[in-house]
């Protein structure tokens, strides 16, 4: 079981950049895929990006490809989401998710919950002028 704390959210102008961080504690990150999800008011939660436990073969939603980059540092128990060229439609609460699994090269951006899946409390991102 993992505890996750997101940080780095805030107010940014369109076209700007922001880097979100996810700190993990309670267990090693070695056997967890990491995902970033977001939810805007009145909308369904959507997957943004994920990275497998092995650190390769990351996935991105079509809406953020070329603008967002996911990364992780298992030794530090950290994961990140670098967001660039931000648009107003990127606004929402961003959640870090850890998914324990036995597949070091696989992850999913489909929202899931259950045993071995831990969610952070979220951090708010607002893109507005």
């Amino acid at each position: 079981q993992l505890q996750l704390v997101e940080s780095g959210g805030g107010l940014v102008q369109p076209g700007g950049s922001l880097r979100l961080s996810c700190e993990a504690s309670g267990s090693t990150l070695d056997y967890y895929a990491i995902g970033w999800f977001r939810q805007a008011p009145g909308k369904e939660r959507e997957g943004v990006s994920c990275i497998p436990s092995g650190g390769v073969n990351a996935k991105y939603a079509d809406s953020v490809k070329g603008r967002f980059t996911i990364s992780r540092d298992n030794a530090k128990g950290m994961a990140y989401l670098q967001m660039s060229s931000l648009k107003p439609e990127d606004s929402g609460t961003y959640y870090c998710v850890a998914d324990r699994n036995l597949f070091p090269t696989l992850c999913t951006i489909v929202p899931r919950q259950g045993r071995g899946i831990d969610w952070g409390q979220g951090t708010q991102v607002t893109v507005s002028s």
Side-chain angles (χ1 to χ4, degrees):
Q1 195 172 55
L2 221 56
Q3 291 79 235
L4 304 172
V5 179
E6 302 96 332
S7 62
L11 176 64
V12 63
Q13 292 185 331
S17 298
L18 214 55
R19 191 188 198 194
L20 305 183
S21 297
C22 176
E23 298 181 71
S25 62
S27 184
T28 177
L29 213 53
D30 293 350
Y31 306 108
Y32 290 83
I34 298 294
W36 286 96
F37 298 80
R38 68 188 181 190
Q39 187 168 24
K43 297 184 66 178
E44 291 287 306
R45 188 168 298 184
E46 64 175 337
V48 175
S49 181
C50 71
I51 184 168
S53 61
V56 297
N57 199 31
K59 295 180 180 178
Y60 298 90
D62 288 343
S63 60
V64 307
K65 284 182 179 178
R67 300 188 297 117
F68 289 13
T69 302
I70 190 170
S71 61
R72 63 189 295 159
D73 187 334
N74 288 357
K76 296 180 179 179
M78 298 289 295
Y80 309 93
L81 184 67
Q82 177 67 50
M83 307 185 295
S84 300
S85 301
L86 284 163
K87 307 173 181 179
E89 51 262 44
D90 293 318
S91 298
T93 302
Y94 282 69
Y95 299 89
C96 176
V97 181
D99 187 347
R100 184 177 176 86
N101 67 83
L102 301 176
F103 306 97
T105 61
L106 299 179
C107 71
T108 180
I109 57 173
V110 176
R112 303 177 70 224
Q113 62 181 14
R115 192 172 71 89
I117 303 175
D118 303 302
W119 290 73
Q121 85 290 344
T123 185
Q124 187 173 349
V125 173
T126 303
V127 184
S128 176
S129 59

